[in-house]
Amino acid sequence: MTGLAQEKIWLAGGARLSGEVTISGAKNAVLPLMAASLLTGGECIINNVPRLDDVLVMLSVFKELGVTADFCGHRLRLDCRRVRPAAVDPRVLGRIRASNLILGPLLARFKEAEIGACGGCSIGSRPLDLHFAALEALGARILPLENGYFAFARDLKGAQVTFPFPSVGATENMIMAAALAQGRTVLSGAATEPEIVELAAYINAMGGKVTGAGTPIIVIDGVKSLHGASYTVIPDRIEAGTYLLAGALSGGEVFLRRARKAELAALLSTFDAMGVNWRETADGLWVKGGRLRSTDIVTAPHPGFPTDLQPLLTAVLCTAQGRSTVRETIFENRFTYVAELKKMGASIQIRDNCAIINGVPALFGADVAAGDLRAGAALVLAALAAEGESLISGVEHIDRGYEDMVPKLSALGADIRRVKLRAQAV
Ligand code: EPZ
């Protein structure tokens, strides 16, 4: 008897990528923008929304909250008039980490919210303590449920809050909760990622008063209510980084339309150390691969080297000349993909959350499994450069965060396709 067909990515490595790829809207920008739409009783239009599974899962959460949504092409219309802080199916909430971003807006608008435990990738424990401590400073009470949390408040009053760590999600939840609180909230030690800047701009377009986003000090003056708005999502800097690294690794020449230098400064300075040729043009970035030198990086909150590109860079360093080190400081379990790279001939040791990589002349194709979103992308990059064929399972992880990765790589000359394999007979 055979089980359901299992979708995988088949890849024959060795192609020099060349041509142009257009970068889609940013996953980690659109998810908080969607959440912030819950703050209004009006209609919101978000353009350049990537067609990703994470967006679809967020929409299924929204449906249970009473949002009317219309997602056509890359345009998302959200009507939040009939939103209620209902209890959403924990199985749905648990599918994406970003579902916890409904906490701030529902607390702000309805003074109550229910969220799941955590969800998302298996890259670390990913607690919510920083979110809860900050929201409690505004006057919220948060109670643990069997598989989630219930938050409520009589009123939300502005407060001074200092984050011990610049959590992206906690900063986003706090900006949304404080947007309708009474009085002024000052966040110190806030995350400074570009996605935070976008969230503040979107809330301001709704009539909110948020200043300082993009710096560690963010000031939010609560308003009585917020109206609907229209907004366009920025390009995805992690997707752009992924294709920059793919171009560098393949030894070809790739142009990334819409990629923006300012958001990729840490990667581009790493390229300079590795001897990768790149240049900024009016509407994108150009990269040319070649023999890559080893380097040493440490991941850090923005503007440091982004943890989301850590697996991708590690895959590229596997065949760079010399010894490289990649130290992960944001998540405690973000090297699970290394075991898969070793099946392809990589020479990597992990010590104290740091990968020590000895460059080898070439990797070879293998059957490998993606355990999370960026690990999956890293295995695709490694397979692109490997000699021979690879089969990559865990495609569902890649579909969470990359729009049309297979067609985009195929258009750049990669010999890649999705295959539906009949599961092994049992
Ligand atoms: C966002 O996750 C991104 N996700 C992640 O991208 C990204 O890796 C991360 O920020 C860091 O840049 C979205 O934006 C949807 P954090 P988030 O709160 O908000 C710890 C991808 O691949 N922490 O900054 O969950 C946490 O465990 C994903 O696109 C606490 O301890 O990240 C982690 O170790 C992966 N307590 C570190 O902080 C808290 O209350 C960073 O977490 C919150 C976080």
Side-chain angles (χ1 to χ4, degrees):
M1 185 202 41
T2 55
L4 293 173
Q6 199 192 16
E7 195 164 34
K8 296 190 177 184
I9 288 177
W10 174 89
L11 233 165
R16 279 174 181 260
L17 301 184
S18 67
E20 173 177 321
V21 61
T22 298
I23 300 305
S24 301
K27 166 180 89 79
N28 292 347
V30 72
L31 294 171
L33 293 185
M34 289 172 71
S37 306
L38 298 171
L39 288 164
T40 79
E43 181 179 88
C44 296
I45 304 287
I46 308 178
N47 298 302
N48 195 34
V49 174
R51 297 202 69 87
L52 300 171
D53 286 358
D54 271 16
V55 170
L56 299 178
V57 171
M58 197 70 155
L59 286 177
S60 55
V61 170
F62 276 26
K63 189 159 179 264
E64 294 196 37
L65 293 173
V67 176
T68 308
D70 174 49
F71 189 15
C72 180
H74 293 101
R75 183 176 181 274
L76 178 61
R77 188 180 64 78
L78 297 170
D79 181 340
C80 300
R81 264 182 282 254
R82 280 179 293 284
V83 169
R84 286 292 167 269
V88 177
D89 182 342
R91 288 166 301 182
V92 176
L93 288 171
R95 287 180 59 196
I96 58 169
R97 164 84 178 175
S99 61
N100 69 58
L101 293 177
I102 66 174
L103 185 56
L106 293 181
L107 254 182
R109 193 166 156 208
F110 302 105
K111 305 295 181 291
E112 67 172 79
E114 191 171 319
I115 60 167
C118 277
C121 297
S122 57
I123 54 180
S125 57
R126 306 188 81 177
L128 294 166
D129 56 319
L130 301 180
H131 297 243
F132 296 165
L135 292 169
E136 284 165 349
L138 296 183
R141 293 275 288 114
I142 295 164
L143 305 177
L145 302 175
E146 195 181 337
N147 45 23
Y149 299 90
F150 179 67
F152 61 97
R154 187 190 316 281
D155 289 310
L156 291 180
K157 290 192 170 53
Q160 308 261 351
V161 172
T162 298
F163 285 115
F165 175 85
S167 156
V168 172
T171 301
E172 289 165 345
N173 257 329
M174 273 303 281
I175 291 173
M176 292 186 282
L180 293 177
Q182 294 165 21
R184 169 166 285 192
T185 295
V186 181
L187 303 182
S188 302
T192 64
E193 274 70 2
E195 294 76 24
I196 305 285
V197 176
E198 293 306 295
L199 175 62
Y202 184 54
I203 291 175
N204 288 341
M206 294 173 173
K209 291 182 182 157
V210 185
T211 54
T215 77
I217 311 281
I218 301 177
V219 178
I220 307 110
D221 288 311
V223 295
K224 280 255 177 292
S225 66
L226 292 165
H227 52 71
S230 174
Y231 202 77
T232 297
V233 181
I234 54 172
D236 192 319
R237 61 193 171 97
I238 304 302
E239 185 196 27
T242 301
Y243 288 106
L244 283 170
L245 284 157
L249 180 59
S250 78
E253 289 190 37
V254 177
F255 175 64
L256 288 78
R257 186 168 298 285
R258 296 188 189 164
R260 309 195 308 185
K261 175 184 163 191
E263 294 156 359
L264 288 155
L267 175 63
L268 296 172
S269 66
T270 303
F271 273 6
D272 294 340
M274 295 170 66
V276 176
N277 294 318
W278 64 271
R279 91 169 163 270
E280 184 182 26
T281 68
D283 54 355
L285 289 170
W286 173 90
V287 65
K288 184 174 186 315
R291 197 77 184 98
L292 305 179
R293 292 194 295 267
S294 60
T295 189
D296 301 300
I297 66 112
V298 181
T299 65
H302 193 76
F305 192 93
T307 175
D308 292 347
L309 289 179
Q310 176 261 92
L312 292 301
L313 179 69
T314 300
V316 172
L317 291 171
C318 288
T319 53
Q321 286 173 312
R323 179 181 180 276
S324 302
T325 57
V326 174
R327 179 172 299 283
E328 173 59 53
T329 67
I330 309 293
F331 290 104
E332 66 270 29
N333 189 33
R334 198 163 204 176
F335 283 117
T336 51
Y337 63 92
V338 166
E340 302 303 304
L341 289 177
K342 285 180 166 181
K343 290 178 188 170
M344 302 173 85
S347 171
I348 307 178
Q349 300 305 318
I350 303 293
R351 213 169 295 141
D352 305 327
N353 223 20
C354 179
I356 297 143
I357 307 146
N358 292 305
V360 295
L363 297 180
F364 45 83
D367 286 8
V368 289
D372 67 75
L373 163 56
R374 307 301 173 185
L379 294 175
V380 169
L381 257 58
L384 274 172
E387 291 168 359
E389 298 180 7
S390 296
L391 211 46
I392 304 169
S393 63
V395 180
E396 67 279 7
H397 294 293
I398 296 174
D399 290 341
R400 286 188 51 208
Y402 288 93
E403 183 179 50
D404 292 341
M405 176 181 259
V406 171
K408 286 185 177 184
L409 285 171
S410 181
L412 291 173
D415 190 359
I416 181 171
R417 65 198 67 208
R418 295 172 86 107
V419 291
K420 273 196 190 306
L421 300 182
R422 194 179 300 289
Q424 300 307 318
V426 289

